Amino acid sequence: MATCRPGGTGAPALEADRLALLRSVLRAGATVVDLEHRREATGSVADELGDDRVLLSWHGEPDEAPPPLMEARALVTEMAARAPAALKLALPAPDASEALELLLALREVVPSALPWAGLPLGRTGRGLRLLAGWRRPGDSRPLSDLLYAHGGHPLADGARLGQPGQEQLASLGLEERDEPSRRFGVVGWPLTHTWSPILHADLWRRRGVDAVLVPLPVRASRDARELVDRLDLSGVAVTMPHKSHPTWTELPASTGARVGGVVNTLVRGTEGLRVASFDGPAVRRALASRMSLSGARVVVLGAGGVARAIVPELVAAGARACVQARDPRSAEELAREHGVEAAPLDGGVLPTDVLVNATPLGSRGHEVLVPDHRTDWPVRQAVVELVSTPPRTGLVAWAEARGLHVVDGLEVLARQAADQQRLWASTEPSGVRAPLTDDEVITRLRALVSEADVFD
C-alpha cells in the first residue's frame, strides 16, 4: 500500500501532480493506494485510478472529539458505497475503552466482504490497533481486518517512520506474521511512559511464547475492568491509578498471593480472572539482596496504591515502617491498618535506614522529589525509587552520590515482570522455556533501556 496525503510532507502541491505520482506507484507494483475520502476531490481521483485499487480513508485529528456515533456510521456507509478495495477509519478517542465502543459500533456497519482498518488515533488507541484480527467466540468478524502499524525502520536522517500511536511492531514482539495466539494488556492512565510492552515482548520471545502485551490507557477503573473482559485478555498488568479500585480487589486472589486491597496483575484461567500484587514482594526482594530488613527503620513516602502494597511486605520482613505523606489523614489511615507510624511530609524526611519513594514525584511530567539544594536527608543505608521513567531520577543520583544502596525503578519493574511471567506461565502450554530469574530480567530490561533511542 502506498499513501500520499494532500498537503503532507513531500506531497506535490498540485492535485494533478499527486494523481500522476499515484498512477506511477500503481504501475510500479503497489496493490492499492491510500486516498482520503474528500467529497471535493476523491471521487475524480478514484474514478481515474479505479475504485478496486483504492484504500479509501478518513482521518480525524488526535486532539479533537470523536464524531457522534450516528455521524460516524453515516460516514462509513457513504464510503463503503464507493466499493473500494478497503476502508481505513482513523478516529480520535478519549481512551481505549471509548475507542473499543466506537470500533465495535462501526464494525457492524462495514459490509462483511469489505476489509477495513479501524484506527483509534494517538496513544489512547495504540493498543487496540495492534489487536486487529481479534475475534471472541461468537463474533461475526474481527475487531478490525487490517493491522496498521510500522516497522520502525530508520530513515536517512535518523528519524523513524510513523506517527504517535503507530507502534513499532518489532518493539512489541510482532513481525510480519499472524496475530499472536495470546494477548495481554497493561491498563492505567495516562500510561504515556511504560516499559512493560517492550520488556514482556522480549521475555516471551526468549522463552518461545507466542504472545503480545499492548498498552490500554483507560481513565476509569470500572471501564478498565470492562475492557479487560470484553477483549478476553489472557492477563493484565495494572498500574496507576487503578491498583486499589474495588473493581479488581473484589476478584479472587491467585494461589499464594497476598493482595491486601492492591492489585497490579491479573491472570485468566479456567475459573476466570484472578489477581495478584507484586509491588511489595519486588521491593522486599530487592532490599533483602542488599541488607537485613529485620529491625530496620523504613520510611515510605506516599500513601497511595503502591505504598499500600509495600508496607505490609516490610512489616512481614520485620522492618519498622513509617508512612510519610502530604495528606496526613491518608498516611494515618494506612499506618493504622498495619500498626506502623505515620507522619506528615511537610516537616522533611524523618531519620531512617531506608527511604522508599512510593509517589510519582520525580517522574516525567511531575515535580522533582529531590531539589538541587537538598543535602540533609538523614538516610543511613538504602534508597528505593519506584519511578522508572526517567530511568535515573534525581533521588537515585542523590543516593548514589552518598554511597547508599540504591534500588532504582527499573529493578523494581523487572522483579515485578519476573513475577508476572511466572504467574502467566501457569496457563501456558507445556514445552516452553521456564520464566527467567529476577537477575536475568533485570539484565534484559537495562539492556532494552540502553538500546532505546526513542521512548514516547
Side-chain angles (χ1 to χ4, degrees):
M1 182 190 78
T3 184
C4 182
R5 295 188 64 186
T9 303
L14 298 178
E15 188 71 14
D17 292 337
R18 190 171 73 93
L19 176 58
L21 176 61
L22 292 173
R23 276 201 222 95
S24 66
V25 168
L26 289 173
R27 287 196 300 270
T31 304
V32 295
V33 291
D34 180 354
L35 294 179
E36 289 193 48
H37 179 65
R38 298 183 307 140
R39 293 181 178 87
E40 73 279 10
T42 298
S44 60
V45 175
D47 287 341
E48 187 163 349
L49 296 176
D51 280 324
D52 61 340
R53 304 197 67 182
V54 167
L55 181 146
L56 198 58
S57 64
W58 184 89
H59 290 263
E61 295 298 329
D63 297 329
E64 69 183 9
L69 185 55
M70 289 185 62
E71 180 181 322
R73 291 167 68 98
L75 175 66
V76 171
T77 301
E78 179 183 328
M79 294 171 66
R82 293 198 58 86
L87 292 183
K88 182 178 75 173
L89 301 165
L91 300 165
D95 70 6
S97 177
E98 295 190 41
L100 177 62
E101 289 288 344
L102 189 57
L103 290 178
L104 291 174
L106 296 182
R107 182 183 65 173
E108 303 307 316
V109 183
V110 179
S112 59
L114 180 59
W116 79 297
L119 309 177
L121 288 172
R123 294 183 178 90
T124 60
R126 62 183 183 165
L128 287 177
R129 67 168 58 191
L130 289 175
L131 295 181
W134 162 78
R135 187 197 307 262
R136 289 192 66 178
D139 275 354
S140 59
R141 67 185 302 181
L143 179 61
S144 179
D145 297 301
L146 305 175
L147 173 63
Y148 196 90
H150 69 97
H153 301 294
L155 302 176
D157 60 359
R160 290 189 175 267
L161 298 170
Q163 299 298 320
Q166 292 185 16
E167 289 287 1
Q168 294 183 23
L169 297 183
S171 71
L172 297 173
L174 291 172
E175 298 172 357
E176 293 183 8
R177 59 178 175 82
D178 293 335
E179 273 284 286
S181 59
R182 308 187 76 222
R183 301 175 183 86
F184 296 77
V186 51
V187 295
W189 186 264
L191 208 62
T192 51
H193 305 291
T194 173
W195 295 105
S196 293
I198 298 173
L199 175 58
H200 283 289
D202 179 83
L203 299 179
W204 278 317
R205 186 165 47 239
R206 292 174 181 278
R207 297 177 50 229
V209 178
D210 184 27
V212 63
L213 183 143
V214 298
L216 298 169
V218 184
R219 283 191 177 99
S221 298
R222 191 157 297 281
D223 289 342
R225 166 67 185 281
E226 183 177 351
L227 185 71
V228 169
D229 287 338
R230 297 182 76 173
L231 290 176
D232 202 26
L233 298 171
S234 299
V236 179
V238 182
T239 187
M240 296 174 61
H242 302 322
K243 293 186 177 187
S244 302
H245 197 274
T247 192
W248 310 117
T249 56
E250 66 190 11
L251 292 169
S254 299
T255 303
R258 175 165 46 199
V259 175
V262 182
V263 168
N264 85 330
T265 308
L266 289 80
V267 62
R268 189 184 303 279
T270 56
E271 299 178 354
L273 288 172
R274 290 186 172 271
V275 299
S277 179
F278 295 131
D279 292 302
V283 170
R284 175 176 50 77
R285 292 201 306 276
L287 285 172
S289 70
R290 293 165 167 83
M291 58 179 286
S292 172
L293 283 173
S294 180
R297 180 174 174 80
V298 182
V299 168
V300 178
L301 302 183
V306 178
R308 292 174 61 84
I310 292 172
V311 170
E313 287 289 331
L314 296 174
V315 172
R320 297 180 296 117
C322 175
V323 180
Q324 282 194 264
R326 286 177 171 176
D327 182 357
R329 288 180 296 181
S330 297
E332 290 167 3
E333 179 184 349
L334 176 56
R336 193 163 48 247
E337 287 181 20
H338 300 286
V340 301
E341 298 177 44
L345 187 54
D346 54 10
V349 173
L350 297 176
T352 186
D353 297 310
V354 181
L355 178 66
V356 178
N357 178 31
T359 77
L361 295 176
S363 61
R364 293 180 184 175
H366 290 80
E367 61 184 286
V368 298
L369 177 63
V370 186
D372 292 339
H373 66 274
R374 174 67 71 181
T375 59
D376 57 345
W377 279 356
V379 182
R380 291 181 283 267
Q381 288 186 265
V383 160
V384 179
E385 171 68 277
L386 274 295
V387 171
S388 59
T389 52
R392 189 171 187 267
T393 65
L395 178 60
V396 168
W398 178 87
E400 289 175 343
R402 284 151 183 78
L404 302 174
H405 294 301
V406 178
V407 178
D408 65 11
L410 291 180
E411 178 177 343
V412 176
L413 177 62
R415 290 182 184 275
Q416 291 179 53
D419 281 334
Q420 289 170 332
Q421 289 269 317
R422 294 176 194 120
L423 177 61
W424 292 335
S426 64
T427 62
E428 291 173 359
S430 59
V432 297
R433 182 184 171 192
L436 277 61
T437 65
D438 279 19
D439 288 343
E440 289 173 322
V441 178
I442 293 169
T443 298
R444 285 308 310 150
L445 179 55
R446 294 200 187 284
L448 291 168
V449 171
S450 67
E451 295 166 3
D453 56 352
V454 177
F455 184 60
D456 298 336

